[in-house]
Amino acid sequence: MTEVVRLREDMCRAAASLFTRGLTGGASGNISVRLPDGGLLVTPTGQSLGALDPGRLSRLDATGRLVEGDPPTKEMPLHEAFYETRSRTAAVVHLHSTHSVALSMLPGVNADNLLPPLTPYAVMRLGKVSLLPVYLPGDPAMGEAVRGLAGRRSAVVLANHGPVVAGASLEAAVYAIEELEETAKLALLTRGLSPRLLSPDHVAEIVARYGVEWE
């Protein structure tokens, strides 16, 4: 099995898992993975993550030109911006997961760090999560907003839209976006209840011990 064939199968398997567990519905959400030749393998536009065909995934060359498969997701500006600004990025996952979207619509949230420090794993896997403004789907301005972060964030949430996470592997990106959604759910469940948060000292210890990007 070649590396590209393995990545095709891994992408479809991860996408189906996310869809089956209700983390994105309908034809929403998209995934991309960096290929050994510098190109990208991308989920096609308008297709459900629960029913992808490995042979029809969009394959782009290193210049972004479609060389094989169906047309890619219209959210390519998001993906391209993460690859351009974070050299360690090997995969990008974008979902329309319910709790993350709900949290993004509430007043009084911290746009620089959307998730409260509720669990160690949220800090470890995500660092700070920036809340970006509302954009129409596919708007190139989404990519410019990510570029404006200058590579300082591996995860963002588009207001009224959904989370986007870049990872050092497809597995890492999937695990991180799952952690983001679970933490958003915890934030909603405990909102207004004065939950016991991790202390600044606990956060600082996690950041130092696990090399978390935290500015």
Side-chain angles (χ1 to χ4, degrees):
M1 180 184 298
T2 68
E3 178 70 3
V4 174
V5 169
R6 183 186 66 78
L7 288 172
R8 286 179 182 275
E9 294 184 356
D10 287 349
M11 279 183 64
C12 291
R13 185 163 47 250
S17 174
L18 293 167
F19 179 86
T20 300
R21 288 179 289 135
L23 292 171
T24 202
S28 69
N30 35 80
I31 300 172
S32 66
V33 173
R34 177 73 78 189
L35 294 173
D37 63 3
L40 296 175
L41 203 57
V42 187
T43 52
T45 186
Q47 295 189 22
S48 168
L49 292 190
L52 294 175
D53 179 345
R56 295 180 61 184
L57 295 178
S58 312
R59 184 171 181 174
L60 311 182
D61 65 17
T63 69
R65 181 174 63 95
L66 179 66
V67 295
E68 188 179 3
D70 294 340
T73 172
K74 61 180 172 291
E75 309 287 19
M76 282 307 299
L78 277 174
H79 294 255
E80 292 167 343
F82 272 109
Y83 288 110
E84 290 173 16
T85 59
R86 293 180 60 85
S87 60
R88 290 163 292 178
T89 298
V92 175
V93 180
H94 168 42
L95 303 177
H96 293 186
S97 41
T98 302
H99 298 93
S100 303
V101 177
L103 186 62
S104 80
M105 296 188 290
L106 295 182
V109 296
N110 183 352
D112 184 57
N113 191 15
L114 177 64
L115 300 178
L118 291 167
T119 70
Y121 274 92
V123 176
M124 289 164 57
R125 294 195 187 280
L126 297 160
K128 289 184 178 179
V129 178
S130 291
L131 176 64
L132 300 183
V134 176
Y135 297 102
L136 293 179
D139 188 341
M142 292 188 293
E144 293 308 310
V146 172
R147 289 185 183 90
L149 297 172
R152 294 182 295 108
R153 298 287 185 270
S154 65
V156 302
V157 174
L158 301 166
N160 301 67
H161 186 159
V164 192
V165 172
S169 67
L170 175 59
E171 183 179 63
V174 168
Y175 286 171
I177 207 163
E178 291 172 337
E179 196 70 43
L180 197 164
E181 173 64 2
E182 286 302 308
T183 307
K185 183 177 181 179
L186 285 173
L188 292 171
L189 288 172
T190 59
R191 191 172 176 85
L193 300 177
S194 300
R196 182 175 64 250
L197 304 177
L198 298 177
S199 70
D201 286 344
H202 283 140
V203 172
E205 184 178 357
I206 294 166
V207 168
R209 180 176 297 184
Y210 297 100
V212 178
E213 298 173 87
W214 192 272
E215 295 181 10

